[in-house]
Amino acid sequence: MAHVNVALIGYAFMGRAHSNAYRQVSRFFSPKLSPVMKVLCGRNAKNVKAAAEQLGWEEAATDWRDVVARKDIHVVDIVTPGDSHAEIAMAAAKAGKVVFCEKPLANTVREAEQMLAAVQKAGVVHMICHNYRRAPAVMLAKRLIEEGKIGQIYHYRGTYLQDWPVDPKVPLVWRLRKEAAGSGALGDIASHSLDLGRFLVGEIAEVTAALETFVKERPLPEDPKKKGQVTVDDASAAVVRFENGALGTIEATRFALGRKNYNRFEVNGSKGSVAFNLERMNELEVFLASDAGPVQGFHNVMVTEAAHHPYMKAWWPAGHIIGYEHTFTHTVYDLLEAVAADRVPTPNFEDGVRNQKVLAAMEKAAASKKWVRV
Ligand SMILES: NC(=O)c1ccc[n+]([C@@H]2O[C@H](COP(=O)([O-])OP(=O)(O)OC[C@H]3O[C@@H](n4cnc5c(N)ncnc54)[C@H](O)[C@@H]3O)[C@@H](O)[C@H]2O)c1
């Protein structure tokens, strides 16, 4: 088995999720390529060294430019806030690295397009981390749709709800600042719902939307006695029309008290419906109009049988459920398989650009109160 040296840029929330994925992919799968957790990069030497030791990286570094220039690095994995994705990804592509980047791909369509152009020009493998595509229940929804079991799709209803900044005392962290995050609930979590909509239903042709910022000022993290302006949306609600005629709604908010990471979708077609909720991610709700009348109704399919569901052979005997972190392991597994085969996996930077265009259209629609073509 060949080895591939990975550099991870960033090491907080997603850094931990991706580190875990590289560890697990080696342990559970037999990929053609095995990742070597070579270098972890942060900004604070002491903290990144401690994180590298804890998370299992061979080395720690503090300047991503040095890391990207290293000849022995094959994959550059970017888990920093959105304002640095473009610069790091383009430098990594130019240096001939495989580029794996967290969502949203960038903070603007222009940056996303530049990133796509850079990876295409360099001819390197690229992938964006929309990890929820790799939940086995989501893959089952995709399979049922592709097999025609759901029929012609009429509706997609994507909902992503959180509640972490409802308290106005929550400081003005980078996710609440446009220059760092690009947008708020929109780019952070609606991006996942719209990516799932594109994955399951198809391309989005036009949108109309509303955005709202409920708490307009917050304490500054560096000086809590002072306040700064929140420059992103707390909530977004969009109506979307797919190219195939399906109608969709995509709602994302960080102000749904009690909802922690409620990522749900429902697809309704002419022959049936499917519904998924990340909080019960081992199940897919399925309704088939072809079921006999007396037993017709939504039923929960436990998506844990290795014989029927992708990725599950890597884990436990049937019924022994998996969790959030496994979606990242599956994504990294598919990335490594693609690198071994020298092909570009999905979702990739082309998906990242398409998603970014939908996000931009939603912002434009919210500002103009009109329908906007993507
Ligand atoms: N796929 C998902 O479900 C998912 C979930 C959460 C976050 N994300 C995405 O992951 C990215 C990071 O989010 P997070 O929640 O991990 O943020 P975070 O604030 O927890 O971590 C960001 C990390 O980036 C580091 N960093 C920032 N600038 C850097 C630089 N110039 N050089 C090196 N390190 C730098 C910070 O030190 C920190 O370690 C964002 O793009 C976010 O949208 C994706």
Side-chain angles (χ1 to χ4, degrees):
M1 187 198 310
H3 293 288
V4 60
N5 291 339
V6 180
L8 182 67
I9 321 289
Y11 60 85
F13 175 26
M14 274 306 102
R16 281 165 194 276
H18 287 221
S19 297
N20 185 64
Y22 292 113
R23 278 200 308 273
Q24 289 196 332
V25 84
S26 303
R27 182 171 158 203
F28 286 94
F29 290 101
S30 312
K32 293 191 187 78
L33 279 181
S34 167
V36 177
M37 296 169 69
K38 200 75 188 167
V39 51
L40 181 66
C41 180
R43 290 168 298 178
N44 177 300
K46 188 165 156 256
N47 293 349
V48 72
K49 186 168 180 294
E53 276 165 21
Q54 192 200 25
L55 298 172
W57 293 87
E58 287 182 8
E59 298 170 41
T62 51
D63 189 340
W64 64 261
R65 287 177 185 81
D66 294 342
V67 172
V68 162
R70 277 174 59 156
K71 289 221 160 30
D72 63 337
I73 296 299
H74 305 113
V75 177
V76 173
D77 182 345
I78 305 164
V79 294
T80 56
D83 57 349
S84 50
H85 289 185
E87 200 184 3
I88 303 173
M90 288 194 288
K94 207 168 167 198
K97 314 301 182 197
V98 171
V99 194
F100 182 38
C101 186
E102 263 300 343
K103 47 53 61 177
L105 191 58
N107 283 356
T108 63
V109 172
R110 193 176 138 75
E111 280 176 350
E113 284 176 337
Q114 287 172 337
M115 291 165 78
L116 175 60
V119 291
Q120 286 178 334
K121 185 171 174 211
V124 295
V125 172
H126 48 98
M127 189 179 201
I128 181 171
C129 188
H130 276 295
N131 50 301
Y132 297 122
R133 288 193 185 200
R134 261 73 182 183
V138 175
M139 301 298 287
L140 177 60
K142 171 87 173 157
R143 187 168 126 197
L144 293 175
I145 290 168
E146 280 184 349
E147 288 174 354
K149 299 267 176 20
I150 306 303
Q152 181 193 339
I153 295 176
Y154 297 131
H155 292 293
Y156 172 76
R157 208 167 291 111
T159 309
Y160 207 139
L161 314 177
Q162 299 182 338
D163 72 354
W164 58 270
V166 170
D167 184 344
K169 291 203 233 29
V170 169
L172 192 63
V173 292
W174 70 263
R175 279 191 160 80
L176 301 168
R177 292 188 291 112
K178 190 172 177 65
E179 68 273 21
S183 62
L186 190 67
D188 191 15
I189 48 181
S191 62
H192 276 306
S193 294
L194 83 83
D195 181 72
L196 287 172
R198 287 186 51 250
F199 180 53
L200 295 167
V201 182
E203 294 302 343
I204 294 170
E206 58 178 356
V207 308
T208 188
L211 302 177
E212 194 54 65
T213 305
F214 300 113
V215 174
K216 301 199 187 322
E217 281 189 339
R218 290 180 180 273
L220 297 176
E222 59 279 10
D223 183 0
K225 285 194 204 87
K226 286 193 188 147
K227 283 193 170 180
Q229 216 188 339
V230 175
T231 45
V232 299
D233 55 286
D234 289 328
S236 66
V239 181
V240 307
R241 220 185 295 280
F242 290 85
E243 283 176 5
N244 60 14
L247 192 62
T249 54
I250 294 174
E251 184 202 6
T253 179
R254 295 162 166 170
F255 272 64
L257 263 182
R259 297 298 187 194
K260 304 299 172 184
N261 200 40
Y262 187 91
N263 174 6
R264 189 176 191 281
F265 67 74
E266 182 162 319
V267 180
N268 310 121
S270 56
K271 295 185 184 170
S273 296
V274 286
F276 170 79
N277 181 357
L278 184 68
E279 292 179 358
R280 302 181 69 98
M281 65 165 280
N282 289 274
E283 299 169 19
L284 185 72
E285 287 179 68
V286 180
F287 176 94
L288 296 175
S290 56
D291 283 348
V295 292
Q296 205 179 59
F298 268 103
H299 57 277
N300 284 336
V301 180
M302 277 289 285
V303 189
T304 54
E305 297 274 345
H308 301 299
H309 304 296
Y311 310 110
M312 295 311 292
K313 69 178 189 314
W315 305 109
W316 318 115
H320 295 66
I321 57 176
I322 60 167
Y324 173 68
E325 71 270 27
H326 299 83
T327 60
F328 294 95
T329 310
H330 302 164
T331 306
V332 162
Y333 171 66
D334 285 341
L335 170 69
L336 294 174
E337 290 290 282
V339 172
D342 196 24
R343 65 176 162 74
V344 176
T346 54
N348 53 51
F349 283 19
E350 284 188 45
D351 294 281
V353 168
R354 287 221 168 239
N355 289 351
Q356 206 78 43
K357 284 183 175 171
V358 179
L359 295 174
M362 286 175 179
E363 281 187 298
K364 204 168 160 193
S368 65
K369 301 187 176 175
K370 293 203 167 104
W371 279 87
V372 173
R373 286 204 69 78
V374 175

